[in-house]
Amino acid sequence: MWTVAALLIGFGIDLLVGDPHSIPHPVVLIGRLIGFLERGLRRVCPKTPPGERAAGAILWGLVVIVSTVLPALLLWLCGMVGPWLRLAVESVMCWQVLAVKSLRDESMKVYHALESGDIAQSRRAVSMIVGRDTAELDDAAVTRAAVETVAENTSDGVVAPLMFLALGGAPLGFFYKAVNTMDSMLGYVDPPYQDIGLVPARADDIVNYIPARLSALLMLAAGWLLGLDTANGWRIFRRDRRKHASPNSAQTEAMCAGLLGVRLAGDAWYHGVLHKKEYIGDARREICHRDIPLTCRLMTVTALLALLLCCGARLLIVR
């Protein structure tokens, strides 16, 4: 019951406040820990593919342990003082694990820049939420990148964290954020990450396998509530959900593309290297600026459905 209460409070704070940049964020600290360990392990481990893979495995284990044990220890200490203090602290932790409002706000910055006709500003805004190179993107490519990242992060930034928070409270939520952050920082197939990032990337694939598919199904339900084309969403999901190097990323992208009736993905540049990618969805119409706020609404409704499902499941488990 306390975990559900903390999750509900944290979710509410996230919807209202988002991610205030004036407050140090634990995920930033996790990122700094990853960078520190990466530099140290690269120096001490053999500079060979097996050596770098071992470094990646050691890094993964250390970051996961620190990110999970420290919140658990802090909550235990708060619980020794009193349950209400623990509830307050865990609610703040749940808030920091979730990213509904910040994802919506950052993508809407892209929308407003596009609407104003400032392509340079729209490229800068979208560069804050995507990993690809953005300097040469045109209007449609910027729009597509924003829609894709909201669709993909509906799982990574919303549904998956909710699942782990419901299963194991804030400590398991930070476990998930650590795994996801390591993949974001190290999980590339290009040098110098292709070996040291192997374990973080594979671990992220495993951890997100169920959440990604649940996210797509919840997104389908959200699309029905919003009056979108659920028949086409289901069709494109079944056809295109494997059209990605990751086994998980195309799950929600395919569902979103089908619900909106647009075509996503395709070739993209990362760190100066062209990555050939299949298209996802059919271009029943050209993608447009308003697809960004529409995808944000789709993400928000999906998040609310996931919250209800996760809290309900938690209560059933407790009983």
Side-chain angles (χ1 to χ4, degrees):
M1 294 295 294
W2 290 101
T3 297
V4 171
L7 180 53
L8 289 170
I9 294 169
F11 187 90
I13 298 173
D14 178 61
L15 285 184
L16 293 172
V17 179
D19 180 16
H21 298 290
S22 59
I23 300 176
H25 200 289
V27 176
V28 175
L29 300 179
I30 292 173
R32 291 176 181 172
L33 175 62
I34 294 167
F36 172 77
L37 290 175
E38 180 193 355
R39 292 188 295 271
L41 288 167
R42 283 188 184 277
R43 285 196 296 268
V44 301
C45 291
K47 294 177 174 56
T48 61
E52 292 194 353
R53 289 170 191 164
I58 295 168
L59 184 152
W60 189 89
L62 290 174
V63 172
V64 161
I65 290 171
V66 171
S67 301
T68 307
V69 171
L70 286 183
L73 178 60
L74 178 58
L75 290 177
W76 178 77
L77 292 172
C78 291
M80 296 292 289
V81 177
W84 292 104
L85 177 61
R86 178 186 170 110
L87 174 64
V89 173
E90 188 164 17
S91 297
V92 172
M93 288 181 175
C94 291
W95 161 40
Q96 293 172 326
V97 169
L98 298 170
V100 179
K101 188 175 188 297
S102 60
L103 180 58
R104 184 176 67 235
D105 288 349
E106 293 301 316
S107 59
M108 288 302 292
K109 290 178 183 178
V110 181
Y111 169 75
H112 292 306
L114 287 168
E115 285 288 280
S116 70
D118 190 341
I119 186 64
Q121 179 57 31
S122 67
R123 288 168 178 163
R124 285 192 293 271
V126 82
S127 72
M128 303 302 294
I129 56 174
V130 300
R132 73 193 66 180
D133 301 340
T134 61
E136 303 299 325
L137 297 183
D138 60 16
D139 185 287
V142 170
T143 305
R144 187 163 54 250
V147 169
E148 286 173 17
T149 198
V150 174
E152 180 179 353
N153 282 285
T154 298
S155 176
D156 292 355
V158 179
V159 177
L162 281 170
M163 288 182 61
F164 281 88
L165 288 169
L167 284 172
L172 205 58
F174 278 112
F175 161 83
Y176 174 79
K177 294 303 290 187
V179 172
N180 194 241
T181 304
M182 281 187 281
D183 178 62
S184 299
M185 293 180 63
L186 305 174
Y188 296 99
V189 297
D190 303 310
Y193 299 107
Q194 74 272 28
D195 292 313
I196 198 170
L198 181 65
V199 169
R202 293 293 178 266
D204 186 77
D205 289 343
I206 294 169
V207 167
N208 278 295
Y209 189 87
I210 293 175
R213 286 148 183 81
L214 177 62
S215 299
L217 296 177
L218 290 171
M219 186 178 284
L220 180 66
W224 178 77
L225 292 172
L226 291 172
L228 301 178
D229 190 346
T230 53
N232 192 56
W234 180 248
R235 181 179 69 85
I236 296 298
F237 169 71
R238 294 182 64 193
R239 190 191 73 186
D240 293 350
R241 61 195 175 98
R242 296 183 180 89
K243 289 185 177 181
H244 200 285
S246 163
N248 303 318
S249 295
Q251 303 290 323
T252 47
E253 284 187 34
M255 184 63 76
C256 181
L259 290 170
L260 270 57
V262 299
R263 189 170 67 175
L264 301 176
D267 298 347
W269 291 83
Y270 293 85
H271 307 295
V273 178
L274 177 63
H275 288 249
K276 306 294 289 184
K277 296 184 177 183
E278 294 186 78
Y279 286 111
I280 295 174
D282 296 329
R284 292 188 167 188
R285 60 175 179 82
E286 293 299 318
I287 197 165
C288 61
H289 299 168
R290 70 174 183 273
D291 288 318
I292 297 176
L294 178 56
T295 307
C296 288
R297 289 196 295 275
L298 184 63
M299 178 267 294
T300 303
V301 177
T302 303
L304 291 169
L305 293 175
L307 178 69
L308 293 174
L309 177 64
C310 290
C311 289
R314 174 73 186 190
L315 291 174
L316 287 175
I317 291 171
V318 171
R319 290 181 180 180

